[in-house]
Each structure stands twice: as C-alpha cells, then as structure tokens.
Amino acid sequence: MQRSREGWHWTPGTGLQAGIPSIAVIEPSQLIQHPKDVFDVIVIGAGYTGLTAARDTSTSGLKTLLLEGRDRIGGRTWSSEIDGYPYEMGGTWVHWFQPHVYRELSRYGMKDQLVHSTDYSKKHNFFTFKTASGDRNMSHEEEDSLFARAVEKFVNVDGNLGRTVMPFPFNAYWNKDVLKYANLSVAERIAQISHDLSSDERHAVEAFVLLCSGGTTENSAFLDFLRWWAAANYDYKTLLDTIIVFKLKCGQSGFAKRFFEEALASGNLSYSFNTPVARIDSSKGLVEIRTKDGQIFLAKKLICTAPLNVLEQIEFNPPLDQAKREAAALKHVNQCVKVHADVKDPEMRSWSGVTYPHNKLVIGVADGTTPAGKTHCVFFGCDANHMHADEDINQTLGAIKEFGPMEIDRLVFHNWSKDEFAKGAWVWYRPGMEVQYLEALRKRQGPVLFANSDWAAGGWRSFIDGAIQSGTEAALTVRQELRPGSRTSRL
Amino acid sequence: MQRSREGWHWTPGTGLQAGIPSIAVIEPSQLIQHPKDVFDVIVIGAGYTGLTAARDTSTSGLKTLLLEGRDRIGGRTWSSEIDGYPYEMGGTWVHWFQPHVYRELSRYGMKDQLVHSTDYSKKHNFFTFKTASGDRNMSHEEEDSLFARAVEKFVNVDGNLGRTVMPFPFNAYWNKDVLKYANLSVAERIAQISHDLSSDERHAVEAFVLLCSGGTTENSAFLDFLRWWAAANYDYKTLLDTIIVFKLKCGQSGFAKRFFEEALASGNLSYSFNTPVARIDSSKGLVEIRTKDGQIFLAKKLICTAPLNVLEQIEFNPPLDQAKREAAALKHVNQCVKVHADVKDPEMRSWSGVTYPHNKLVIGVADGTTPAGKTHCVFFGCDANHMHADEDINQTLGAIKEFGPMEIDRLVFHNWSKDEFAKGAWVWYRPGMEVQYLEALRKRQGPVLFANSDWAAGGWRSFIDGAIQSGTEAALTVRQELRPGSRTSRL
C-alpha cells in the first residue's frame, strides 16, 4: 500500500516513525494532460469540500484541475490501515442525521459500512472518572446520566434546552434572541450555572465541551456548542450518536476515494498532489494560480477550500477583503490532540474514561478490536494543557496510562497543530467570531469562491457533512455560471 | 398561472370544479428536438424520483428523455396556489433528518423556505377527541402525552422502544429478530397490547397509525410503522417533527420545479407531458418505448418510476419477473383521503382533532392562515371508512363538520384513489409484503431500472426523501454504465 509522509506510528520495537500507510495517497501524484489549457475551474484542496466540488464540476462536463499540497486526499479526514485495521487520523464519525454525508454514503451504496464504535459486552465495562475531586469508576449508565445532566444544564439558557433560542439548527439566528449569546465563552457560560453544578457535573461538562471544541474554556464560543446540540435534536444521547458512535468499516479514506474515483472516471479531472499554492491572482479576466514550485495554471473560476487557519498563507491579488483577513489572522481555537493506542487487554473494549483537568489527554474511549485481538482506544486532548504527541513519546504514553494501567502495543496519530495545511482540527470559533465573520468568510471575490466546512451554512458546520455541503454549493454555483454542455438555449 | 386538469376545487359559490392552478404544469408540454434519436436514457415519470434521475443524467451530459402521463411534474407531490396560498395535494412535510430531501433543499438555497405548520398562539388552542368513548376537548399537551404514551406502547416490542430490534432505520433487517414481525398487521399488534391500552389510547394509536398507513388496521403492516419510528429516532415528538410539521413556503411544486429547471438548463433534456407509456420492450439491444398515443422512442437505458399500484398497467417485454408481477397485483394499501378546507374563523389556527372510527375523516389539523385571513385546515381519511371526496361534496363537508362547527369557504383536494397514475398515496405494505417483495421490486431487468420511493432502500421509504434517493441511485448507475464525456481512459 502507498505510504503518506504524514502521520506518526510508534511501537515498543520500532520507536516513533514518521509516515503511515494510506489508500488516500494517490499515485501517480500528477495527471495533467494539457497544463497550458485554461481550465473551467481549479479546485484548491482535496479534502471533502474540494473532492465534492471537483467531482460535481468534472462529472458535469467542466474541465477541472484539483491542486493539493499534501500527498493524499481527505484533508483533515484520513485513515491509515495498519495490520488490517483502519485508524482515523481526523474526522471519523458520521450519522444519518447528517444529510450531506449520509446522502453520499447512500449514493455510493456504503450504508452497510457503518459500524458501531461502542461495545459494552466485555469485562472492563465501566467508565473511569479521574478529576480534581478524586478518582473512581462508574457504570456507563451512571456516566451517561452524569454527562446528560451536566450538558443539559449547560445548554438550558431558555428553560427549553435551547429549543426556543435555536429552533432551527441550520438557520442558527432565526430567533434573534440567540445573538445574546454571541460573545459568551464556554467558561462564562459555566460561571453562569456554577451555583447549580456539582463538582462532578462541572468536570463532566468541561471535559465534554473541550472534547468538542479542542480549545480552552476561555477561548471556545458557547454558540458553537449550542448549534451542535440543536443539530442533534437537543438530546444528549442523540448528540453522542451523531458525533462519536458510527464510523466506517472501510475507513474514511475508503469513502473519500469514491469521490475522487468518480471525478476521475468522468475524464474531465486533472490533478496534482504535493502542489501547494502560493498565489491566486484574479485581477485580470482569468484566475491565475502560481504554485510554490513555480507552476502557473489558468482557469475561469476558482474554488479555494483552504481552511481558516491557513488561509493567510496564500497570497491573493486582489487581496482578501478586510473581514476575511481579520478572521484568518484571529484563527479558530481547535488544537485537538488525537492519539490511537492499541491496548493488549481485549476486555478493555467496553471501557471509557475522563482525566481532567490535570492530564494532557482529557477523554479516552475504546473504539474497536484489531485483527490481532487488541483493544483499539482513542484519546483526545485539547488546547488547555496541550501537548505535541510526537515530541515526547514518553509524555504521550504517560498521558494514556494516567487513565489506568494499560499495556500499549502501538500508537498512531497525526499532529494537526503542526500540520502546515490545517494548523488545527475542525473549526471552533472564539466568542463573538462566528457572528462577526461567518458571512464574510462565505463571500466570494469575483471568480474566486471560498468553500470549507469551517464556514458551511448548515447545522453541521465543522463536520464532514459541512464540507460536503460547502463543496456541493460551490460546484453548483460554478456550473450555473459556466453552463457546461448546453446545446439548446434556455426556454 | 397554468391549470392542471387534476385536483378539485369547491366554494359555496362555484360548487365543485375539476382542475386547479399549479406552477407544476409545464408549458410547452413537449420539447423534443430529435425524437428519432437514440436517447442515452428515458425516464418514465416526473415525480421526485424521475425528476432527480433526469436531472442527474442530463446534467452529466447524457441525452435524456423524460416522459410523463400527467400535465405536470411532481407525481404524488404537487401544490396548487390559490389566492396566494399553496395547498399541498399530496406529499407536504420535510425535515433536516431526511438526508436526501434536505440535501436538495440546502443545495438549492431553499432552507429559508421551511415554515412551521403549527401555531399554538391563537384562541381555539385545543385538541378535539371524538371517539366511541365520547367527545371532549383537551390541551395540546394532553394530546401529545396521550398519543406519545399510546404510540410508545405500540412500538415497544423489545422493552427498548424498538431500538433493539431495529437499531438502524436504513438497514431495517440488520437485527434478524425484526423478521419476527414481518407478518404482523397493525390490528394484530394492537391485539397484543390491548390489555395495556385504555380506550383513549387505543383510539389514539389507531387513528395515528391509520393517518400514516392510509389503509385499515387489518391490511396495514406493523413493520412500516416501526421503520418510520426508527427513522424518527424512536421518539414521538421527533416523529411528528419529521412527518407533519415543516412545509415549504413556496409549495412543493416550487421545489420540484428547481429539479426540472436545472435539468432543462443542461441542454440535454427532452420531455413530453400528457404522454402515458403503453409498452416497454427491452428484448432487443435498445429499449423501445411505445406511448399510448403511438409514439415510439429508443434509448440505451430506461428508468421506470411508475409506482407499485400502477406498475401492471405498463406492458413489459420481456415481461416483469414473477415477484414484481405478484407485488404489483397485490398492491399496497394506502388509500389516503386528504382534503384542505379554508375555515372562516382565524382563531381555529391553533386547533387539531380526531374523529374515529365513525367518521369518514380521521384527523384534522390547522395548517396555516390564508392571505384572506382564513384558517387553512387539512383533513385525512383512510381506507377504513373510505370516501371519494369528489363524489358527494355534502358528505365531504359533513365529515369535516363532524370535527366541530366550522364555516367552510373553500375545499381543495386530489382524489389519489382514482388517480390513474398512482392508484393510492405513499406506499404502505400489507403484512409480509415488504420482506417478501422489496428486494425483487428493486431488481433491474437488463437495461430497465426500477426506481421509486415505494421500494427505496432508506429509512424514509414512502417519503419524498425516498423518491430522491431512488432517483439519485438510478441515475448514478446509468451514468457509471454509460460513462458520459469520458475523454481519457480510466487509470
């Protein structure tokens, strides 16, 4: 199998090694038959947004060039298959309540690929809760009840669990009352309800929200969480189901590859990996792209899918508008740390835990059983008490063992904070940032469209769903403007 | 505005008149530039299934011919705008948990078209419950509590509200235990729990399930209801939200027209309305279509979207396989009667009611306020105690007034039972029929594909969502087989 230069792999025998195998790596890495042609559209970035956009434009007859800085597709979502088991480096879980991603799973006949991350049938069937209030284990029923109670207090700004202030998750400002919470941080919201939170509840809600935001309680906006909650039908169980329960047997890269292959089969897709873009010039009639290695490409339209935290690395002429520049300089807060560990004991399959706030990893959860019979666990940290998992592997192993005694046979991870094409994980805004900049981030500049889950207009912004939505919309706009294949005039 | 010959309209002044205005009527009714050409694909039927299929094939460069027996698009879903108000003749409500329909609403930028059918802010804010146990009014909170309790007993076959036997709504037989209920009728399920049902609960659950099935308790399968329930997250409030709360300001035909217009703009769509198909011959290399008026068309592939209850009206050569013929002869049970009434009193806007089992209409609910300030109510009947609303308008008016005193200024409806292209409403199987025939109904026969919400493979079979899903899949299959626009060979 191809290997990506991205990702990290550690075993006791090999030590830490850079690069992991992945079907997301595309070979040959470049296929451009007529590089001097004017393309109908150039898509920058081969994450789900760019893959969807390039698929939809190429299959509708538009000559499309897909440029990607990495050696692989998938952006912040990709999987590595090691010894027959798929490890998800980034985006993982999906659900049929996420319309855009589910429509694609259904369309590609992949619904049977959905598997359950949870299995409570094994011996170590409990939840470890180690906080400033002490250490103990509890049942998963007690865990769910504690977290549901705490999260419900957190979102209950209106006495109706958020339903009144945000009745439409996909149209978050429908009720203008919600704007009262625009500048509220997670820490400030917790302060508002602290009189009503037990110590356990406070640790539970902080750990859970930090798992979602990847930031700190001070720099994470409350509003993003309220939207997730609304999208998940104002229900804790449904929220878990939609964000951390159902993953793909074939790995996310098996899914992403379907988009790429469909685009390729159209015969209208050219592409180049390992090709970061340096400059986008739309000051003349056509859009001119200069890559970092000096290649020049021309197109009628451009769909730029660079995420918020790296948007300022591309030079634009004319420059990005003021609001986009401000948002790109501020950046979102998600510096999620995600580490996979193979744990020797197969009975750990039913385990989960929280260690907070003292530990470098906040949440751990058993996620599968490898073909070798090990328990695959996944651990999450955030910007509060951040670590770079690759810099000190003993610190990383220690953070995992803080959850409890475990014999660790393997680690796999991707350091998203150091990733030059992401500089962070899924979007989570700073207080005030969403309301101030979201519209501006979506705004096109002439022939240049900006598409990314980071500013998707749906309930599932920051999810794979938002990426597909954003790519779908951008492709439709381009198609409507270029009208491919039209052989009769419009009636 | 164009008028369809379909639908009925009654006012005290005009009496009953056939035909109502609709933007779903397409003019000119035929546009075929080269009728002798071999089309890449012919799509039979311009409901959501056929519209989606024709859009996806035509926009990907395939020469597509859309044939429709009616004078309009939309099939079992269409709206009539009368005096500035959209009346939905068939399919009406949608929700963001329905992935295929919501993906399309999002893609067309129509999310802001969603409006709430319910408004509990007016004076007549109560629920009328007239059953064999007597007549009374109750609050909507009491109504919801009664119906939720009754429906939960109905679906609770596993002590876990159905979650255990049907954990995946889109893959209904994932747990084979569910097949124990394959042959169970609604009446039989009610008999199983009758010891635990109050008289109110029994009337409530029967009325509710008959609203869903349009049949009788004896001929309606329990399994269909369990799937709806699972798709709606095993929750009564979510079930209401997904099936009867959110409709489109512009009417369903405003939505359907977007599909048609996108297909037309591709320049690859030919079409002919008022063109029922008599015969489909795929015995030679190409598919030959003969219309009832004697026209012949040829294509490489055919997507037939005729619903189950009219499938046997088309002659196939080679004939439909045995299983399809059996299912088409058996037919599904939904003979839903749906009647819109403008009621003079604007305070009725907050009302709903059930009259069961003595009345010809079972459920009524206020659904909007017309520009003239009338309350628009919608009433549903079913095959139990069936009526043809057009045959005796005094009976129809009487059935409405049985819910309570109302001054009725207008009726609008479509008689789906007499409709030659539907012979019923959305699909609801007989006990045993789904498990026995579903796979067979989906099976293609050579170049002929069968697509319809009646046998869609998702959680929302029988909904608009299932239609779009089915059309999407059929178009993708055809595209993959014909590979339009391919200019390079596959890598």
Side-chain angles (χ1 to χ4, degrees):
Chain A
M1 192 187 295
Q2 306 92 308
R3 294 182 69 82
S4 174
R5 60 177 174 268
E6 299 187 355
W8 294 95
H9 183 226
W10 173 92
T11 67
T14 61
L16 185 66
Q17 295 181 316
I20 46 179
S22 177
I23 58 168
V25 175
I26 302 298
E27 284 172 2
S29 66
Q30 195 181 65
L31 179 74
I32 311 181
Q33 295 200 334
H34 305 285
K36 302 293 173 204
D37 278 6
V38 174
F39 292 92
D40 289 315
V41 58
I42 293 176
V43 178
I44 296 179
Y48 273 111
T49 307
L51 288 173
T52 306
R55 180 198 65 178
D56 287 3
T57 54
S58 62
T59 56
S60 62
L62 294 174
K63 283 194 303 176
T64 304
L65 172 63
L66 178 64
L67 297 177
E68 168 60 58
R70 307 178 189 276
D71 56 12
R72 59 168 184 82
I73 57 172
R76 284 170 282 182
T77 299
W78 69 295
S79 46
S80 174
E81 195 165 291
I82 302 175
D83 293 343
Y85 188 86
Y87 298 84
E88 295 289 358
M89 298 300 99
T92 304
W93 292 281
V94 294
H95 192 275
W96 48 97
F97 285 173
Q98 295 164 344
H100 301 89
V101 65
Y102 188 71
R103 183 260 183 188
E104 300 296 339
L105 284 170
S106 164
R107 183 170 176 275
Y108 285 130
M110 294 179 69
K111 292 181 292 184
D112 295 346
Q113 290 287 327
L114 288 176
V115 287
H116 220 283
S117 277
T118 317
D119 175 357
Y120 289 160
S121 69
K122 301 294 176 187
K123 210 158 89 189
H124 297 319
N125 185 13
F126 60 85
F127 172 71
T128 300
F129 196 51
K130 295 177 83 168
T131 71
S133 309
D135 305 352
R136 66 185 198 281
N137 294 330
M138 58 178 90
S139 72
H140 289 302
E141 290 70 29
E142 287 171 280
E143 172 200 357
D144 285 348
S145 152
L146 167 64
F147 278 73
R149 206 164 61 235
V151 170
E152 285 178 5
K153 288 180 182 180
F154 184 70
V155 296
N156 197 17
V157 288
D158 55 6
N160 193 17
L161 294 177
R163 282 184 189 269
T164 305
V165 299
M166 197 182 282
F168 295 104
F170 53 82
N171 191 358
Y173 315 145
W174 188 85
N175 180 347
K176 297 295 171 208
D177 289 348
V178 80
L179 298 177
K180 285 191 293 193
Y181 309 101
N183 296 313
L184 197 67
S185 70
V186 167
E188 287 163 346
R189 175 60 191 156
I190 286 172
Q192 287 178 353
I193 57 169
S194 60
H195 62 90
D196 190 31
L197 288 178
S198 69
S199 172
D200 276 358
E201 287 169 352
R202 182 180 176 135
H203 289 121
V205 71
E206 286 191 8
F208 188 80
V209 175
L210 289 175
L211 165 72
C212 298
S213 86
T216 68
T217 57
E218 290 76 21
N219 72 12
S220 302
F222 169 72
L223 208 55
D224 274 285
F225 191 85
L226 193 64
R227 182 175 42 78
W228 284 31
W229 175 255
N233 214 25
Y234 317 88
D235 178 71
Y236 177 73
K237 163 116 182 48
T238 308
L239 182 58
L240 287 189
D241 278 354
T242 46
I243 70 175
I244 198 162
V245 171
F246 298 98
K247 56 179 186 172
L248 299 178
K249 229 184 301 185
C250 61
Q252 280 290 342
S253 292
F255 181 37
K257 208 146 180 187
R258 301 295 290 267
F259 292 69
F260 185 74
E261 285 171 350
E262 187 182 349
L264 207 56
S266 75
N268 294 317
L269 182 73
S270 299
Y271 66 81
S272 187
F273 290 84
N274 306 310
T275 310
V277 166
R279 188 166 191 273
I280 297 171
D281 189 336
S282 58
S283 63
K284 301 142 206 163
L286 294 171
V287 190
E288 183 191 280
I289 308 297
R290 182 177 308 160
T291 68
K292 283 203 175 158
D293 58 7
Q295 299 175 76
I296 303 282
F297 299 105
L298 293 171
K300 295 177 194 160
K301 304 279 176 185
L302 180 88
I303 299 174
C304 176
T305 77
L308 177 62
N309 284 7
V310 296
L311 197 53
E312 59 181 3
Q313 291 177 29
I314 300 173
E315 186 192 339
F316 287 85
N317 182 34
L320 289 179
D321 56 50
Q322 174 71 14
K324 281 198 190 72
R325 286 207 309 276
E326 283 176 21
L330 275 169
K331 297 187 171 51
H332 74 74
V333 304
N334 191 333
Q335 298 299 327
C336 171
V337 179
K338 183 181 187 186
V339 181
H340 298 279
D342 282 3
V343 176
K344 200 157 201 172
D345 186 352
E347 301 298 331
M348 283 288 285
R349 180 70 182 88
S350 302
W351 170 85
S352 62
V354 157
T355 56
Y356 179 80
H358 60 290
N359 194 18
K360 293 278 181 190
L361 292 168
V362 173
I363 285 189
V365 56
D367 197 41
T369 301
T370 71
K374 312 289 167 67
T375 297
H376 161 229
C377 292
V378 55
F379 296 87
F380 292 93
C382 59
D383 202 31
N385 213 350
H386 188 264
M387 69 169 174
H388 292 287
D390 52 311
E391 289 187 356
D392 179 352
I393 209 71
N394 287 322
Q395 183 188 49
T396 305
L397 289 165
I400 293 173
K401 287 178 177 169
E402 174 62 20
F403 285 83
M406 292 184 220
E407 198 169 333
I408 300 169
D409 288 342
R410 187 197 305 280
L411 299 179
V412 193
F413 57 88
H414 182 121
N415 185 338
W416 293 104
S417 296
K418 285 185 180 173
D419 184 302
E420 65 176 316
F421 301 114
K423 298 219 163 164
W426 62 93
V427 80
W428 198 282
Y429 286 106
R430 297 171 194 279
M433 210 176 155
E434 174 189 323
V435 172
Q436 191 170 356
Y437 294 111
L438 206 55
E439 280 305 319
L441 286 166
R442 290 176 192 150
K443 222 170 114 187
R444 67 187 292 169
Q445 297 188 205
V448 180
L449 281 76
F450 298 88
N452 196 290
S453 189
D454 289 4
W455 47 84
W460 299 103
R461 176 164 64 252
S462 87
F463 288 79
I464 296 167
D465 189 77
I468 296 172
Q469 173 183 11
S470 192
T472 300
E473 289 169 3
L476 182 62
T477 301
V478 166
R479 281 174 46 191
Q480 285 173 336
E481 293 178 2
L482 296 181
R483 289 271 170 82
S486 211
R487 65 174 188 195
T488 57
S489 61
R490 184 72 182 287
L491 288 181
Chain B
M1 192 186 298
Q2 306 91 308
R3 293 182 70 84
S4 174
R5 63 179 172 265
E6 300 187 354
W8 295 94
H9 184 226
W10 174 92
T11 66
T14 61
L16 186 65
Q17 295 182 317
I20 47 181
S22 178
I23 59 167
V25 175
I26 303 298
E27 283 170 2
S29 67
Q30 195 182 66
L31 178 73
I32 312 181
Q33 294 201 335
H34 306 285
K36 300 293 172 206
D37 278 4
V38 174
F39 291 92
D40 290 312
V41 56
I42 294 176
V43 177
I44 297 179
Y48 273 110
T49 306
L51 288 173
T52 305
R55 179 198 66 177
D56 287 3
T57 54
S58 63
T59 57
S60 60
L62 294 174
K63 283 194 302 176
T64 304
L65 173 62
L66 178 64
L67 297 177
E68 167 61 57
R70 308 178 189 276
D71 56 11
R72 59 168 183 83
I73 57 172
R76 285 171 281 182
T77 298
W78 69 295
S79 45
S80 174
E81 194 165 293
I82 302 175
D83 293 343
Y85 188 86
Y87 298 85
E88 296 289 359
M89 298 299 100
T92 304
W93 293 280
V94 293
H95 193 274
W96 47 96
F97 285 172
Q98 295 165 344
H100 301 90
V101 65
Y102 188 71
R103 183 260 184 187
E104 300 298 339
L105 284 170
S106 165
R107 183 170 176 275
Y108 286 129
M110 292 177 69
K111 292 180 293 185
D112 296 347
Q113 289 288 327
L114 288 175
V115 287
H116 219 285
S117 277
T118 317
D119 175 357
Y120 289 162
S121 70
K122 301 292 178 192
K123 210 158 91 188
H124 297 318
N125 185 13
F126 60 85
F127 172 70
T128 300
F129 195 50
K130 295 178 85 168
T131 71
S133 308
D135 306 353
R136 66 186 198 281
N137 294 332
M138 58 178 90
S139 72
H140 289 301
E141 290 70 29
E142 287 171 281
E143 171 199 359
D144 284 348
S145 154
L146 167 64
F147 278 72
R149 208 164 59 236
V151 170
E152 285 178 5
K153 288 180 182 181
F154 184 70
V155 295
N156 197 17
V157 289
D158 54 6
N160 193 19
L161 294 177
R163 283 183 188 268
T164 304
V165 299
M166 198 181 283
F168 294 103
F170 55 83
N171 190 0
Y173 315 145
W174 187 85
N175 181 348
K176 298 295 171 208
D177 289 349
V178 79
L179 298 176
K180 285 191 292 195
Y181 309 101
N183 297 315
L184 197 68
S185 72
V186 167
E188 287 162 346
R189 175 60 192 157
I190 285 172
Q192 288 178 352
I193 56 168
S194 60
H195 61 92
D196 191 31
L197 287 178
S198 69
S199 171
D200 277 359
E201 287 169 352
R202 182 183 176 129
H203 289 120
V205 71
E206 286 191 7
F208 189 80
V209 175
L210 289 175
L211 166 72
C212 298
S213 86
T216 68
T217 58
E218 291 77 19
N219 72 11
S220 301
F222 169 72
L223 208 55
D224 274 286
F225 192 84
L226 193 63
R227 183 176 42 78
W228 285 31
W229 176 255
N233 213 24
Y234 317 89
D235 178 72
Y236 177 73
K237 162 116 183 48
T238 308
L239 182 58
L240 288 189
D241 277 355
T242 46
I243 70 176
I244 198 163
V245 171
F246 297 98
K247 57 178 186 171
L248 298 177
K249 230 184 300 185
C250 61
Q252 279 292 343
S253 292
F255 181 36
K257 208 148 180 186
R258 300 295 290 268
F259 291 69
F260 184 75
E261 285 173 350
E262 187 182 349
L264 207 56
S266 75
N268 293 317
L269 182 74
S270 298
Y271 66 81
S272 187
F273 290 83
N274 305 312
T275 309
V277 166
R279 188 166 192 273
I280 297 171
D281 189 336
S282 58
S283 63
K284 302 144 206 162
L286 294 171
V287 189
E288 184 189 278
I289 308 297
R290 183 177 307 160
T291 67
K292 286 202 174 158
D293 59 7
Q295 300 176 77
I296 303 282
F297 298 105
L298 293 171
K300 296 176 193 161
K301 305 278 175 186
L302 180 88
I303 299 174
C304 175
T305 76
L308 178 62
N309 284 7
V310 296
L311 196 54
E312 61 180 1
Q313 292 178 29
I314 300 174
E315 184 192 341
F316 286 86
N317 182 35
L320 288 180
D321 56 50
Q322 175 70 14
K324 280 197 191 71
R325 287 208 307 277
E326 284 176 22
L330 274 169
K331 298 188 171 51
H332 75 75
V333 304
N334 191 335
Q335 299 298 328
C336 171
V337 179
K338 183 180 186 185
V339 181
H340 297 278
D342 282 2
V343 176
K344 201 158 202 171
D345 186 351
E347 301 297 333
M348 281 289 283
R349 179 68 183 88
S350 303
W351 170 85
S352 63
V354 157
T355 55
Y356 179 78
H358 59 290
N359 194 19
K360 293 277 181 192
L361 292 167
V362 174
I363 285 190
V365 55
D367 197 41
T369 301
T370 71
K374 311 286 167 70
T375 297
H376 160 230
C377 292
V378 55
F379 296 86
F380 293 93
C382 58
D383 202 30
N385 213 348
H386 189 264
M387 68 169 176
H388 291 287
D390 53 310
E391 288 187 355
D392 179 351
I393 210 70
N394 287 324
Q395 183 188 48
T396 305
L397 290 164
I400 293 173
K401 287 177 176 168
E402 174 61 18
F403 285 81
M406 292 184 221
E407 198 169 333
I408 299 169
D409 287 342
R410 185 197 306 282
L411 299 178
V412 194
F413 56 88
H414 183 121
N415 185 338
W416 293 105
S417 296
K418 285 185 180 173
D419 184 303
E420 64 175 318
F421 301 113
K423 298 219 165 163
W426 62 93
V427 79
W428 198 282
Y429 285 106
R430 298 172 193 280
M433 208 176 158
E434 174 190 324
V435 172
Q436 193 171 354
Y437 294 111
L438 206 54
E439 280 305 319
L441 285 166
R442 290 175 193 152
K443 223 171 111 184
R444 67 188 289 170
Q445 296 188 207
V448 180
L449 281 75
F450 297 88
N452 197 288
S453 189
D454 288 3
W455 48 85
W460 299 103
R461 176 165 61 253
S462 87
F463 288 80
I464 295 167
D465 189 77
I468 295 173
Q469 173 182 11
S470 193
T472 299
E473 289 169 3
L476 182 63
T477 301
V478 166
R479 279 174 47 190
Q480 285 172 337
E481 292 177 3
L482 297 181
R483 288 273 169 83
S486 211
R487 64 171 189 196
T488 57
S489 61
R490 183 73 182 287
L491 286 182

